[in-house]
């Protein structure tokens, strides 16, 4: 409405001046006098918009309102030439202050809503909220970077956004402790959310952070977290079954170790095959890591038993007591298909 009313006034003024070129300044003066009430309303709306406190769930309306305000502010300034420059500077200052408050509201919203989590949901709603927020900022990149949070200091948009992401990572990690009784599930939860965030903001985030140092810091932190969580997840999945293997023991113990391995591995598989890893790439990475961790030792034990000739491996395999290399590979590929 602000934009429409401003454009209507501009059109009226333009038509008045076009009718006769002489006395143009006089006509503009008369127009401003008779349109004084409407101009006052425009000024009031502009001030009201700039002073409005926006919640974290109203990012899009705020940015759209500010885009409209920035479009018409120069036109309003022409109508209200009697207003001091400070008046319009104050509007811009109000907008920047409101935007900084919005950033604070976003962090608080993430913190206060992180506890709301359903066990069957792989991606936390706050991760999705952050992604949507970043996409909204991306749609108004020039506004947020050049007008609402300009510069290259701690008040710049890149720094503000980095603080929001850091807040999300912190509370996400803290919230993952709900799975502390099952460490692998905790790592799966963290990987699901971090990978989803990175995938959905790839490319856009670099443009918004803009500062090379911040971008590098963000990338390095995520790489370290991915490495840590992936290695820990693999270790938690493999250790119980892998601990049963001893390729250097005598043949009878080797056979028992393979049977024990199968029992332990089946328990792990039955529990984790229904876990959700929505991203196809991440799911395959985790499967491959488990396979690379567990298959070499198992293959050596299997070969040692087979080469000893002291038990018929085909009978053991047929009865389901132990895996072949091929069936173990196939089973590993069934992880995380929930």
């Amino acid at each position: 409405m602000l934009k429409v009313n401003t454009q209507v006034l501009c059109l009226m003024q333009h038509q008045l001046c076009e009718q006769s070129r002489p006395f143009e300044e006089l006509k503009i003066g008369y127009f401003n006098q008779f349109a004084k009430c409407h101009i006052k309303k425009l000024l009031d709306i502009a001030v009201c918009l700039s002073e409005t406190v926006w919640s974290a769930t109203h990012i899009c309306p705020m940015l759209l309102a500010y885009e409209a305000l920035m479009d018409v502010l120069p036109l309003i300034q022409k109508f209200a030439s009697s207003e001091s420059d400070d008046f319009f500077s104050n509007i811009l200052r109000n907008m920047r202050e409101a935007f900084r408050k919005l950033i604070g509201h976003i962090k608080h919203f993430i913190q206060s809503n992180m506890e709301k989590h359903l066990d069957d949901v792989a991606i936390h709603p706050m991760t999705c909220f952050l992604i949507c927020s970043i996409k909204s900022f991306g749609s108004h990149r020039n506004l947020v970077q050049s007008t609402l949070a300009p510069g290259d200091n701690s008040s710049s948009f890149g720094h503000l956004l980095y603080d929001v992401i850091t807040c999300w990572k912190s509370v996400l990690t803290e919230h993952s402790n709900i799975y502390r009784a099952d460490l692998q599930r905790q790592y799966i939860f963290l990987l699901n959310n971090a990978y989803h965030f990175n995938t959905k903001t790839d490319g856009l985030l670099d443009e918004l952070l803009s500062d090379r140092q911040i971008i590098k810091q963000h990338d390095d932190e995520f790489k370290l977290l991915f490495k840590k969580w992936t290695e820990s997840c693999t270790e938690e999945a493999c250790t119980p079954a892998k601990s049963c293997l001893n390729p250097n023991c005598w043949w009878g113990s080797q056979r028992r170790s393979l049977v024990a391995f199968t029992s332990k591995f089946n328990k792990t598989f039955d529990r984790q095959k229904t876990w959700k890893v929505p991203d196809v790439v991440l799911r395959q990475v985790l499967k491959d890591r488990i396979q690379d961790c567990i298959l070499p030792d198992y293959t050596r034990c299997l070969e040692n038993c087979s080469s000893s000739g002291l038990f018929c491996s085909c009978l053991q395999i047929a009865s389901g007591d132990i895996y072949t290399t091929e069936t173990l590979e196939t089973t590993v590929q069934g992880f995380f298909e929930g």
Side-chain angles (χ1 to χ4, degrees):
M1 186 60 70
L2 172 67
K3 201 168 184 178
V4 171
N5 288 344
T6 304
Q7 289 173 342
V8 168
L9 284 179
C10 286
L11 182 60
M12 291 170 63
Q13 185 190 66
H14 177 72
Q15 288 179 336
L16 177 64
C17 294
E18 281 294 310
Q19 289 177 2
S20 177
R21 287 294 180 182
F23 312 110
E24 183 173 343
E25 290 186 9
L26 182 62
K27 289 180 178 180
I28 292 175
Y30 273 112
F31 176 82
N32 290 344
Q33 183 64 31
F34 286 109
K36 187 175 182 179
C37 180
H38 296 287
I39 294 172
K40 178 67 166 58
K41 286 182 179 179
L42 293 181
L43 291 172
D44 290 343
I45 293 172
V47 172
C48 181
L49 279 177
S50 71
E51 293 179 342
T52 300
V53 177
W54 302 83
S55 71
T57 56
H58 290 87
I59 297 173
C60 283
M62 176 190 191
L63 295 176
L64 288 171
Y66 281 3
E67 288 281 11
L69 187 54
M70 292 306 298
D71 284 345
V72 301
L73 208 54
L75 300 175
I76 297 175
Q77 195 167 7
K78 288 182 180 179
F79 291 139
S81 56
S82 60
E83 295 288 346
S84 66
D85 292 337
D86 288 343
F87 178 85
F88 296 97
S89 298
N90 288 340
I91 288 179
L92 183 58
R93 184 167 58 251
N94 291 341
M95 291 167 61
R96 289 175 176 173
E97 180 62 28
F99 185 70
R100 283 192 291 271
K101 288 181 180 178
L102 173 71
I103 296 297
H105 293 162
I106 291 173
K107 291 193 285 188
H108 178 72
F109 184 76
I110 292 173
Q111 290 169 338
S112 59
N113 286 276
M114 187 59 76
E115 295 303 318
K116 301 175 183 178
H117 177 62
L118 302 175
D119 287 342
D120 60 341
V121 177
I123 310 300
H124 196 283
M126 287 301 97
T127 300
C128 299
F129 166 76
L130 179 58
I131 292 169
C132 290
S133 300
I134 289 173
K135 288 183 177 180
S136 295
F137 291 138
S139 299
H140 303 271
R141 183 159 65 96
N142 186 60
L143 174 70
V144 297
Q145 289 180 331
S146 302
T147 303
L148 299 179
D152 54 4
N153 55 22
S154 60
S155 298
S156 70
F157 178 71
H159 282 83
L160 294 176
L161 181 58
Y162 178 74
D163 285 346
V164 172
I165 296 171
T166 301
C167 171
W168 165 75
K169 284 190 295 187
S170 176
V171 294
L172 183 75
T173 304
E174 183 179 347
H175 178 67
S176 71
N177 287 324
I178 62 172
Y179 299 117
R180 59 182 174 272
D182 190 340
L183 288 178
Q184 194 189 6
R185 194 165 186 187
Q186 181 179 12
Y187 297 130
I188 290 291
F189 170 77
L190 291 169
L191 283 167
N192 273 337
N193 282 270
Y195 205 89
H196 184 69
F197 174 80
N198 261 18
T199 302
K200 295 299 181 181
T201 59
D202 185 41
L204 174 60
L205 201 56
D206 287 356
E207 294 178 356
L208 291 174
L209 293 174
S210 68
D211 185 283
R212 289 184 180 180
Q213 185 176 351
I214 299 177
I215 294 171
K216 184 179 185 305
Q217 187 173 349
H218 168 79
D219 290 343
D220 290 347
E221 287 174 357
F222 263 84
K223 286 176 183 176
L224 285 174
L225 288 175
F226 278 128
K227 185 175 184 293
K228 173 187 173 183
W229 293 337
T230 303
E231 289 177 352
S232 299
C233 179
T234 303
E235 183 179 349
E236 288 294 324
C238 297
T239 297
K242 197 173 177 180
S243 63
C244 299
L245 300 176
N246 186 356
N248 299 318
C249 64
W250 63 290
W251 73 270
S253 296
Q254 282 186 350
R255 184 178 63 178
R256 286 194 295 272
S257 74
L258 289 173
V259 173
F261 169 91
T262 301
S263 176
K264 288 278 190 181
F265 182 80
N266 284 343
K267 287 180 180 178
T268 300
F269 175 73
D270 289 341
R271 186 167 55 91
Q272 297 178 14
K273 65 183 179 182
T274 58
W275 289 2
K276 295 179 181 179
V277 179
D279 190 273
V280 176
V281 175
L282 176 61
R283 192 190 314 150
Q284 193 59 50
V285 166
L286 293 174
K287 291 177 181 180
D288 291 344
R289 289 294 184 89
I290 292 173
Q291 181 170 303
D292 292 343
C293 177
I294 216 165
L295 199 62
D297 287 352
Y298 183 81
T299 302
R300 280 195 295 272
C301 281
L302 191 63
E303 288 173 349
N304 288 345
C305 284
S306 298
S307 62
S308 68
L310 295 176
F311 79 95
C312 183
S313 61
C314 62
L315 292 177
Q316 295 285 335
I317 293 169
S319 65
D321 289 338
I322 65 173
Y323 285 100
T324 64
T325 301
E326 292 76 15
T327 56
L328 183 58
E329 288 179 354
T330 301
T331 304
V332 168
Q333 294 306 311
F335 273 87
F336 315 127
E337 293 288 344

